[in-house]
Amino acid sequence: RLVKRAVEKQVIDAVEDLALPLQMNAAADLLGIPEPDREEVTRSATELGRAIILLPFVRTEWGDGDGPANGLRSYVADLVQERRRSPGTDVISRLLAARRGDDTLDETEVVDNAVFLFFAGFETTLNLVASGCELLARYPVQFERLRQSPPLRSTAVEEVLRFEAPLQWVSRITRAPLEVGNATIGANRVILLLLGSANRDERVFHDPAAFNVGRTPNPHVTFGGGSHMCMGKA
């Protein structure tokens, strides 16, 4: 539907006309958010993501995320009550029905998980789609290669993830003193791991500065690793 509209207009804004509405509708479909509410819920999710994910508490105008978080929680809590009365096939209905033995999720857990699922991948997926469009426009030879060989789409997506990671860094807290090169990082320090730099490591990737839609293997670290591996990798 979005591409058809772009073809009719003969022009497309990769963010406003494709990445944003695509991600908004995909996330809203998963959670069963009604069409009339989607724009407002999306605005709150975007504000929350920018407040606490991209660069926490650095800009006062971004706030601390409390406002949009409380608004989203209140909205989703109403959806939860509605799904209790009339279950569907959406994620909220499935969370309410989830069970392991006698253990189930209480309402607060359902609400918090639903809010997290909606906003956590919002900005990153939007960035991925928009960056993919920009890269294919910037590298027309690779774009034509992909057009001529559609099975390359899987490796092409992985290469976009490597070449232009939607988040350039992740943070971790050291549990004990850590030796890195000739430096010692103390315990309980926040460190930033630069994913964008790791994804251009010439010791791992052949010609890392080249955008190659057929790159394989491609062991990028865009989704992080360990126990905090991004659930979006699935």
Side-chain angles (χ1 to χ4, degrees), residues 2 78-79 155:
L2 296 172
D78 289 341
L79 275 184
T155 53

Side-chain angles (χ1 to χ4, degrees), residues 3-231:
V3 172
K4 181 181 179 183
R5 191 178 305 156
V7 170
E8 291 170 351
K9 288 170 51 181
Q10 292 296 299
V11 65
I12 186 171
D13 183 304
V15 176
E16 291 188 4
D17 297 335
L18 180 62
L20 179 58
L22 178 64
Q23 172 59 8
M24 176 184 73
N25 286 300
D29 283 348
L30 283 171
L31 291 175
I33 296 174
E35 197 85 36
D37 300 341
R38 294 186 175 190
E39 187 172 340
E40 179 63 23
V41 172
T42 298
R43 184 187 62 77
S44 296
T46 304
E47 289 180 5
L48 179 59
R50 287 177 176 163
I52 69 174
I53 290 183
L54 296 186
L55 206 57
F57 316 124
V58 170
R59 295 189 180 182
T60 55
E61 64 267 28
W62 284 354
D64 58 9
D66 278 356
N70 290 333
L72 281 173
R73 291 191 81 260
S74 177
Y75 176 82
V76 172
D78 289 341
L79 275 184
V80 168
Q81 292 303 318
E82 187 178 317
R83 294 300 182 274
R84 283 197 189 279
R85 294 189 295 269
S86 179
T89 59
D90 55 84
V91 168
I92 291 177
S93 298
R94 294 171 66 183
L95 286 172
L96 287 169
R99 176 180 301 277
R100 177 176 292 173
D102 295 329
D103 192 19
T104 61
L105 297 171
D106 63 32
E107 185 166 313
T108 298
E109 291 170 325
V110 172
V111 170
D112 286 343
N113 275 283
V115 170
F116 176 76
L117 285 169
F118 189 80
F119 88 84
F122 196 94
E123 194 101 16
T124 50
T125 307
L126 190 157
N127 291 345
L128 175 68
V129 174
S131 293
C133 292
E134 190 274 335
L135 286 170
L136 291 174
R138 197 191 334 161
Y139 296 95
V141 172
Q142 294 297 313
F143 192 6
E144 183 59 27
R145 183 183 174 195
L146 181 59
R147 288 166 64 107
Q148 295 297 325
S149 183
L152 287 176
R153 57 184 174 267
S154 294
T155 53
V157 170
E158 296 297 325
E159 179 68 343
V160 174
L161 284 162
R162 179 195 75 87
F163 198 85
E164 205 68 81
L167 286 181
Q168 290 288 303
W169 54 266
V170 293
S171 59
R172 293 289 184 268
I173 299 174
T174 57
R175 300 177 63 183
L178 181 67
E179 299 289 333
V180 179
N182 297 321
T184 300
I185 301 173
N188 301 312
R189 299 297 302 271
V190 176
I191 58 175
L192 300 183
L193 306 177
L194 304 181
L195 305 178
S197 177
N199 284 340
R200 304 292 182 95
D201 189 341
E202 64 277 359
R203 295 167 300 179
V204 177
F205 301 97
H206 172 69
D207 197 6
F211 178 65
N212 176 5
V213 295
R215 182 182 296 275
T216 184
N218 189 351
H220 64 77
V221 294
T222 295
F223 292 104
S227 60
H228 295 283
M229 174 81 73
C230 176
M231 64 190 300

